Amino acid sequence: MQTDGHLTLVELNYLIRQSIQHCFPQSIWVQAETSDVRTASNGHCYLEFIQKDLYTHALLAKAKGIIWSNVFKSLRPYFEKETGETFRSGIKVLVKVRVEFSELYGYSLIVEEIDPTYTIGDMVKRRKEILDRLTKEGVLNLNKELTFPMLPQRIAVISSATAAGYGDFCNQLRQNKRGIVFYTRLFPAIMQGDRIEESIIQALDKIYTCIDQWDVVVIIRGGGATSDLAGFDTYNLATSVAQFPLPIITGIGHERDDTVLDFVAHLRAKTPTAAAEILIHYMNQCAEVLERLTQSIYLLPTRLLQTEKQRIATYTQYIPALVEKRIQTEQHKLQSKEHQLLSLWNSRRVQDSFRIESLLPRIMHAIEKKLNVETHRLALCEQKTRLLSPQHILSKGYSLTLKNGKTLKDSKDLSVGDILVTHLAKGKIESTITQIHKKNES
């Protein structure tokens, strides 16, 4: 093979291939980061494996990688199902590779297997780093600390217009049992792929321009691929949501994993339908409070009327006794005064000091006058008491009509067929309503 002490390129590459096969006779596990991932029309996946410096991020190593179509068609869905991450550029992987060297195509790493647990660990680490950064900056719980509105009726929705989850969300709101009306507006966003972060932030910016029109913001996805969850695990999106001045509810539609977005939002729902149920729950609570207040307002006048009726009945019962007692008191006062005057009359000192004969007519006149005044006042009291009695009012030709034991005051409270009881001065009449003439109100 050697000619004049030189090697041809084919000979050199052959020796390199032999050396590599000798050094790496078996497949090995390699840690690396994916780069320039692309799928050919024949189903093969071509990519590069790279390694960067941990601090400077400078490129330290690079190798060409190949995943043949027969391996890639099973490896890719397995990886994405286990990690919830799209097999793409920029992710940390642990792959089992076979080292190959071709005289024509050079050095390649042929991927045979992939360990998703390594990537999951890196994702968890990256998520923790974002959460730690948000905590250090003091913004992690800002949105959670906002007061949730009592009436979350005006809802700004961030979602894809064609997403099934958006339709489920709107249907759930419309079909609430109380028939509560919700006002929603869609702020369209891309909820899959590499533009999730940029698209949601743009939607939040639009909502902010008319923020007084909304009570809450709901971010829903529903129906999207689990592999797109990485788009919700970014620092820029998390800090935008955490610092937004309205409470935000997330309904990303994944039950197994929480994204960074879920951690910073005010409330997290598993699905768009569950997000709608949260809003309905708050509105139902408010409706129940209003119903209790309405019932209290309705019952208050009835209770007041009952109290006043009892008070009037008590007064009616005790007025005769009070009048009799007052008459007795006044008579006692008169007797006492008369006794005092007689005592003075019989007193020797008075007889010596005054001319009794001249004073006696004046005294008797004063007594008589006082008796007349008091008698007249007592008669007036008795007359007023008699005029205020219900029986006296009925004796004047008035009547008292009751419906179901309650005093009737307005024809609006009547319906044809109602049975009325009318009390007269003597006896009562029971009647049935056949026709109602309601007075027109000006």
Side-chain angles (χ1 to χ4, degrees), residues 174-384:
R174 282 193 297 267
Q175 295 171 5
N176 70 87
K177 294 181 179 179
R178 288 182 181 268
I180 299 170
V181 177
F182 290 90
Y183 303 96
T184 62
R185 175 180 165 187
L186 176 66
F187 291 82
I190 297 172
M191 308 302 284
Q192 300 184 46
D194 298 334
R195 293 189 57 198
I196 291 177
E197 175 189 276
E198 172 193 359
S199 183
I200 294 179
I201 291 176
Q202 288 177 353
L204 288 172
D205 291 340
K206 291 180 181 178
I207 295 172
Y208 187 79
T209 61
C210 53
I211 195 168
D212 292 339
Q213 300 178 16
W214 311 109
D215 301 315
V216 293
V217 177
V218 177
I219 301 176
I220 51 178
R221 187 183 69 135
T226 306
S227 59
D228 289 320
L229 293 181
F232 301 95
D233 281 331
T234 68
Y235 169 79
N236 289 334
L237 179 57
T239 190
S240 296
V241 169
Q243 298 182 82
F244 201 74
L246 288 180
I248 293 179
I249 301 174
T250 58
I252 308 300
H254 53 100
E255 299 188 11
R256 186 182 65 176
D257 300 312
D258 289 324
T259 65
V260 173
L261 192 65
D262 292 320
F263 279 105
V264 299
H266 190 92
L267 293 171
R268 183 253 183 178
K270 292 182 178 180
T271 63
T273 300
E277 281 297 328
I278 290 175
L279 297 169
I280 294 171
H281 170 71
Y282 275 93
M283 292 296 292
N284 281 337
Q285 280 188 327
C286 186
E288 290 171 0
V289 172
L290 290 175
E291 287 176 356
R292 289 197 295 271
L293 291 174
T294 302
Q295 186 69 14
S296 298
I297 293 172
Y298 175 77
L299 292 176
L300 183 59
T302 303
R303 291 174 180 171
L304 288 175
L305 286 173
Q306 290 175 348
T307 301
E308 291 302 314
K309 286 180 179 179
Q310 291 175 356
R311 189 165 65 89
I312 291 172
T314 301
Y315 287 165
T316 302
Q317 179 180 358
Y318 284 102
I319 282 175
L322 291 173
V323 171
E324 182 66 26
K325 183 178 180 181
R326 182 62 179 269
I327 291 172
Q328 292 175 358
T329 301
E330 294 299 325
Q331 286 178 343
H332 177 73
K333 288 180 180 179
L334 290 174
Q335 291 173 357
S336 177
K337 289 180 180 179
E338 184 178 0
H339 178 73
Q340 290 176 359
L341 290 172
L342 290 173
S343 297
L344 288 172
W345 173 259
N346 295 323
S347 172
R348 180 67 180 174
R349 185 162 49 92
V350 173
Q351 290 177 1
D352 295 338
S353 302
F354 299 96
R355 297 173 63 182
I356 300 303
E357 293 81 0
S358 61
L359 292 177
L360 184 59
R362 294 170 59 187
I363 293 172
M364 295 305 295
H365 178 72
I367 292 173
E368 184 179 356
K369 184 177 179 180
K370 182 65 176 177
L371 284 173
N372 289 336
V373 170
E374 293 299 326
T375 301
H376 180 67
R377 189 169 64 82
L378 289 174
L380 288 177
C381 290
E382 183 179 4
Q383 182 181 9
K384 288 181 180 180

Side-chain angles (χ1 to χ4, degrees), residues 82-97:
E82 293 297 317
T83 65
E85 182 82 71
T86 305
F87 190 79
R88 54 180 175 79
S89 301
I91 56 176
K92 301 289 182 63
V93 293
L94 177 62
V95 289
K96 186 177 183 180
V97 298

Side-chain angles (χ1 to χ4, degrees), residues 74-197:
S74 58
L75 182 147
R76 179 178 182 176
Y78 168 68
F79 174 82
E80 293 182 349
K81 177 182 177 182
E82 293 297 317
T83 65
E85 182 82 71
T86 305
F87 190 79
R88 54 180 175 79
S89 301
I91 56 176
K92 301 289 182 63
V93 293
L94 177 62
V95 289
K96 186 177 183 180
V97 298
R98 185 176 70 253
V99 183
E100 286 192 357
F101 188 89
S102 168
E103 290 86 347
L104 181 59
Y105 299 108
Y107 165 61
S108 300
L109 300 179
I110 310 302
V111 178
E112 297 177 342
E113 295 182 38
I114 190 167
D115 185 358
T117 58
Y118 176 82
T119 303
I120 292 173
D122 182 69
M123 291 167 58
V124 172
K125 179 183 176 183
R126 186 171 69 248
R127 184 179 297 163
K128 184 178 183 302
E129 289 173 350
I130 294 174
L131 294 175
D132 289 344
R133 181 178 175 184
L134 294 171
T135 301
K136 185 177 180 181
E137 293 173 354
V139 301
L140 180 68
N141 294 317
L142 287 182
N143 198 262
K144 293 181 183 297
E145 292 170 356
L146 294 175
T147 301
F148 201 84
M150 183 179 293
L151 293 171
Q153 200 168 15
R154 304 174 302 166
I155 307 157
V157 183
I158 298 177
S159 180
S160 170
T162 59
Y166 173 61
D168 294 340
F169 174 81
C170 293
N171 288 335
Q172 192 70 15
L173 290 182
R174 282 193 297 267
Q175 295 171 5
N176 70 87
K177 294 181 179 179
R178 288 182 181 268
I180 299 170
V181 177
F182 290 90
Y183 303 96
T184 62
R185 175 180 165 187
L186 176 66
F187 291 82
I190 297 172
M191 308 302 284
Q192 300 184 46
D194 298 334
R195 293 189 57 198
I196 291 177
E197 175 189 276

Side-chain angles (χ1 to χ4, degrees), residues 13 16-17 19-21 23-24 28 30-32 46-51 61-66 97-110:
N13 285 352
I16 294 173
R17 180 165 62 87
S19 299
I20 288 176
Q21 289 178 349
C23 292
F24 302 99
I28 58 173
V30 177
Q31 297 176 358
Y46 299 97
L47 69 160
E48 285 189 342
F49 292 108
I50 60 174
Q51 182 176 347
K62 179 171 65 174
K64 182 172 67 176
I66 302 174
V97 298
R98 185 176 70 253
V99 183
E100 286 192 357
F101 188 89
S102 168
E103 290 86 347
L104 181 59
Y105 299 108
Y107 165 61
S108 300
L109 300 179
I110 310 302

